[in-house]
């Protein structure tokens, strides 16, 4: 039986592409349709598709002119790509602590890390909760939003990912919408959009940030004296197959987000009677899109492994803890700040990321029953 995640036009669009003989030209132009629809859904002027949500961050930073000698402020509590993208751009990640209750970087912690070398701030909307971008923008530096885990999260009426200078999304298979691997950069700035597009498409000067214009027209480069590469770039273009699939997913995005919210809120509700579980707290006016239902085991009485073992013993289908802090990974240990980030250090070993993509009520109820039973086992207080 086909997964509930593939319930729309995925097959139809893939067949359209195959029936068209998989044309070399960008017809039927699923990348164009995907980009136009993404920009419309998120309310931005431009949306540029990519092979993944790490290349998107790399491109966004490079478009801002970030390079060797520059510093970019990032949180340490996140998936590694946030830091890796800064390193890919040749710059240095500088770590600002996260808030103990919302688990995301704040303007207060970022401000402390600004130096004359700081070229950008890259907050992460962790687990689906929008980072406080309007406050970060007031620090006067360009902001790239890593919104890989946050689709249609909101601050007031503003959509996460569209509140900074550039926003980055991932379509990797654990995300709200997917095509296996893929990503998108959004921006309202035509120069940044053009730079991002060139970067994704080998630095060709002839391409445009308009939807579906990631490839050059053969007629524009037929002449032998043609200059192709006005800039340096990578081939980070999303394939037509992935774009066809992603377009169908995007058409269902609101349903995917609603399902994640329903699951996330149910776990938070079940945790509300428990004194030692602290669910990720959304500040007033901030709407979580619940990539995961994240909570901190806010006690030394219930260690992570004991909780995990008890959940599995009762039939849980499993959950993740947080990634090691980026600067605690061997490959990035040389980046560890002289003073570690105390909140991130506290939260990381205590984090429980409950899944929010239970496609049926029965599966969700089963997992909730296990969760409630384990809370009772350890005692609510
Ligand atoms: C916060 C964050 N940033 C960046 C990425 C990188 O995205 P991708 O796997 O598409 O490269 C991910 C997810 O995988 C992520 O969770």
């Amino acid at each position: 039986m086909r997964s509930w995640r593939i319930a729309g036009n995925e097959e139809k669009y893939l067949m359209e592409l195959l029936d068209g003989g998989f044309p070399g030209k960008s017809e039927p132009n699923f990348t164009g349709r995907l980009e136009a629809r993404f920009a419309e859904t998120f309310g931005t002027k431009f949306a540029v598709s990519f092979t993944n949500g790490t290349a998107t961050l790399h491109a966004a930073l490079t478009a801002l002119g970030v390079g060797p000698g520059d510093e970019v402020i990032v949180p340490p509590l996140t998936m590694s790509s946030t830091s890796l993208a800064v390193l890919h751009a040749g710059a240095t990640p500088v770590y600002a602590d996260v808030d103990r209750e919302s688990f995301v970087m704040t303007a207060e912690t970022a401000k402390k890390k600004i130096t004359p070398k700081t070229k950008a701030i890259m907050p992460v909307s962790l687990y689906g909760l929008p980072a406080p971008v309007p406050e970060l923008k007031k620090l006067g530096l360009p902001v790239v939003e890593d919104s890989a885990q946050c689709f249609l999260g909101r601050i007031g009426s503003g959509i996460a990912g569209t509140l900074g200078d550039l926003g980055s999304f991932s379509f990797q298979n654990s995300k709200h919408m997917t095509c296996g691997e893929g990503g998108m950069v959004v921006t309202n700035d035509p120069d940044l959009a053009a730079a991002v597009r060139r970067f994704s498409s080998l630095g060709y000067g002839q391409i445009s940030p308009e939807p579906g214009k990631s490839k050059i027209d053969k007629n524009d480069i037929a002449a032998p004296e043609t200059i192709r590469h006005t800039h340096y770039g990578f081939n980070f273009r999303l394939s037509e197959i992935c774009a066809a699939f992603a377009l169908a997913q995007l058409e269902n995005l609101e349903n995917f987000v609603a399902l994640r919210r329903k699951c996330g809120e149910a776990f938070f509700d079940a945790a509300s009677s428990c004194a030692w579980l602290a669910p990720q707290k959304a500040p007033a006016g901030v709407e979580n899109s619940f990539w995961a239902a994240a909570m901190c085991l806010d006690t030394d009485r219930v260690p992570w492994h004991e909780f995990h073992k008890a959940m599995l013993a009762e039939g849980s289908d499993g959950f993740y803890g947080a990634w090691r802090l980026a600067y605690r990974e061997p490959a990035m240990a040389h980046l560890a700040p002289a003073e570690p980030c105390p909140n991130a250090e506290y939260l990381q070993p205590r984090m429980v990321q409950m899944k929010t993509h239970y496609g049926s009520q029965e599966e969700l109820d089963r997992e909730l029953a296990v969760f409630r039973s384990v809370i009772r086992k350890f005692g609510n207080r």
Side-chain angles (χ1 to χ4, degrees):
M1 206 179 75
R2 191 163 295 166
S3 159
W4 60 269
R5 292 186 85 188
I6 308 171
N9 285 324
E10 286 82 357
E11 185 171 345
K12 176 171 174 269
Y13 290 163
L14 288 173
M15 289 316 293
E16 229 177 271
L17 190 62
L18 300 184
D19 289 346
F22 211 93
K25 285 197 295 168
S26 55
E27 290 302 329
N29 196 1
F30 279 106
T31 48
R33 287 163 66 183
L34 172 68
E35 290 174 349
R37 177 86 184 235
F38 203 92
E40 186 193 325
T41 305
F42 285 80
T44 56
K45 289 200 180 118
F46 300 97
V48 179
S49 58
F50 275 77
T51 46
N52 60 66
T54 307
T56 48
L57 297 171
H58 182 185
L61 291 171
T62 308
L64 287 170
V66 171
D70 296 331
E71 294 176 353
V72 178
I73 298 174
V74 294
L77 180 64
T78 171
M79 186 260 179
S80 58
S81 288
T82 317
S83 294
L84 291 174
V86 178
L87 295 169
H88 293 163
T92 305
V94 171
Y95 294 100
D97 205 0
V98 296
D99 178 65
R100 176 87 170 249
E101 294 188 328
S102 67
F103 311 163
V104 297
M105 183 209 273
T106 65
E108 206 188 341
T109 59
K111 190 175 176 187
K112 288 187 198 149
K113 298 297 173 134
I114 296 175
T115 75
K117 291 182 180 171
T118 309
K119 196 77 182 247
I121 302 177
M122 194 152 72
V124 178
S125 291
L126 198 70
Y127 301 125
L129 186 77
V133 175
E135 283 148 46
L136 287 163
K137 278 295 294 172
K138 288 186 196 146
L139 298 176
L141 286 157
V143 172
V144 175
E145 294 181 73
D146 184 348
S147 206
Q149 301 176 4
C150 184
F151 284 73
L152 302 181
R154 283 172 198 272
I155 300 183
S157 58
I159 302 179
T162 71
L163 308 172
D165 296 85
L166 300 124
S168 164
F169 295 86
S170 163
F171 305 152
Q172 176 265 349
N173 61 12
S174 74
K175 303 303 190 295
H176 290 75
M177 58 171 277
T178 188
C179 55
E181 301 280 358
M184 192 73 81
V185 173
V186 296
T187 182
N188 288 315
D189 182 317
D191 295 332
L192 290 176
V196 161
R197 175 75 89 197
R198 278 195 304 268
F199 192 75
S200 78
S201 202
L202 303 159
Y204 282 110
Q206 291 88 348
I207 52 155
S208 135
E210 295 305 321
K213 300 286 187 205
S214 62
K215 291 203 170 146
I216 39 179
D217 190 319
K218 297 250 178 334
N219 293 328
D220 289 344
I221 55 161
E225 69 277 14
T226 304
I227 291 173
R228 288 173 169 76
H229 303 280
T230 54
H231 292 74
Y232 177 68
F234 288 77
N235 181 355
F236 283 153
R237 292 184 296 243
L238 188 69
S239 74
E240 278 286 283
I241 293 186
C242 288
F245 198 94
L247 176 62
Q249 292 267 298
L250 179 58
E251 290 168 353
N252 267 330
L253 181 59
E254 290 199 3
N255 294 333
F256 293 144
V257 174
L259 177 87
R260 294 217 183 221
R261 283 212 172 105
K262 181 185 84 169
C263 295
E265 279 163 7
F267 281 111
F268 279 13
D269 186 50
S272 64
S273 61
C274 175
W276 43 268
L277 272 172
Q280 183 175 29
K281 193 168 171 194
V286 177
E287 222 177 284
N288 193 341
S289 70
F290 282 105
W291 175 67
M295 40 199 126
C296 169
L297 288 165
D298 202 7
T299 174
D300 290 332
R301 195 171 64 73
V302 187
W304 191 92
H305 283 284
E306 298 267 319
F307 186 76
H308 191 234
K309 205 164 73 185
M311 287 286 290
L312 294 185
E314 297 236 3
S316 164
D317 75 342
F319 61 85
Y320 287 100
W323 319 260
R324 286 175 82 100
L325 298 186
Y327 60 73
R328 296 271 175 227
E329 293 283 0
M332 289 177 276
H334 61 290
L335 302 169
E339 284 172 39
C341 300
N343 290 339
E345 296 279 352
Y346 178 83
L347 291 167
Q348 188 275 333
R350 296 173 173 81
M351 193 68 77
V352 168
Q353 299 177 192
M354 295 305 295
K355 294 177 193 166
T356 52
H357 54 283
Y358 291 104
S360 76
Q361 189 65 41
E362 199 188 334
E363 283 175 304
L364 173 62
D365 288 344
R366 204 179 312 133
E367 193 65 20
L368 279 168
V370 171
F371 184 65
R372 286 199 190 95
S373 161
V374 169
I375 291 175
R376 274 197 303 276
K377 177 169 176 269
F378 284 105
N380 279 359
R381 298 285 119 209

